Amino acid sequence: MSTTARAFSALVGAALLAAALPVAAQAQAFSGSMGVAGRWAIDLPRSKFNTALTGPPPLSGELDITVDDGKNLAWTLVEEDEAGVAALQFAHAVLDGAPTKAVVNLTLVMISVQRVGQSAVTVTTHGDAGARHQSMKVTRTDPSTILVEQDIDGRPGPPDQTLILTRVK
């Protein structure tokens, strides 16, 4: 899996975990935890990958959300491929709509998060001029399922990838 694909794949963790916190401007409308603390696994058979944009899907992936208190969010994401660790990401963020840092494969990546519902956020990655800007809508659809709809190419239309994560613990 390419470094770009791994970095993108690891950003899924940021999107999933960011779903737990409100943006300051919308804190009155959407508040409190989204109930996503715990361990989540990528449900590979139910997910739809776009290998042309991101490379091959991982063999497995686990997201561990350790803080989900309505103001802060902390997570670790580890994905594995046939060679071992394919992607690694971690962050602890106060999400107020301003850009914040996440670590993806030992590189700092800037993301911003906007809460768009009691159980949903959008997450956007920011890069240097000319870099690909990706966005993801992340929704906890029920107590044991998270849906991630990813726009990778920046073109209007249906999501480029759809990932399903299920609660492990």
Side-chain angles (χ1 to χ4, degrees):
M1 183 179 279
S2 73
T3 302
T4 301
R6 288 183 188 134
F8 173 76
S9 190
L11 286 173
V12 171
L16 296 172
L17 296 166
L21 299 172
V23 173
Q26 296 179 349
Q28 293 159 356
F30 309 113
S31 63
S33 166
M34 287 181 47
V36 295
R39 285 195 344 239
W40 299 82
I42 296 174
D43 187 332
L44 295 169
R46 292 174 53 203
S47 297
K48 180 184 132 204
F49 294 91
N50 186 331
T51 58
L53 291 172
T54 64
L59 296 177
S60 67
E62 185 171 291
L63 174 66
D64 187 14
I65 302 171
T66 56
V67 176
D68 169 16
D69 65 7
K71 295 179 183 177
N72 297 278
L73 187 64
W75 68 89
T76 301
L77 173 74
V78 177
E79 292 184 357
E80 296 180 19
D81 63 13
E82 55 282 333
V85 174
L88 174 65
Q89 180 191 78
F90 57 93
H92 187 151
V94 175
L95 304 175
D96 59 5
T100 188
K101 295 176 186 174
V103 176
V104 179
N105 299 330
L106 304 179
T107 301
L108 289 176
V109 176
M110 299 301 291
I111 62 172
S112 62
V113 180
Q114 181 175 357
R115 194 156 185 177
V116 294
Q118 186 62 37
S119 300
V121 296
T122 57
V123 179
T124 304
T125 62
H126 303 279
D128 297 328
R132 185 183 333 186
H133 295 270
Q134 303 160 21
S135 64
M136 298 166 243
K137 182 175 182 189
V138 182
T139 307
R140 184 177 57 86
T141 58
D142 64 49
S144 62
T145 308
I146 293 174
L147 169 66
V148 180
E149 298 171 293
Q150 299 174 312
D151 175 27
I152 301 164
D153 62 12
R155 295 186 191 121
D160 295 316
Q161 261 186 185
T162 303
L163 306 178
I164 305 291
L165 283 91
T166 56
R167 190 181 294 276
V168 174
K169 174 175 149 180

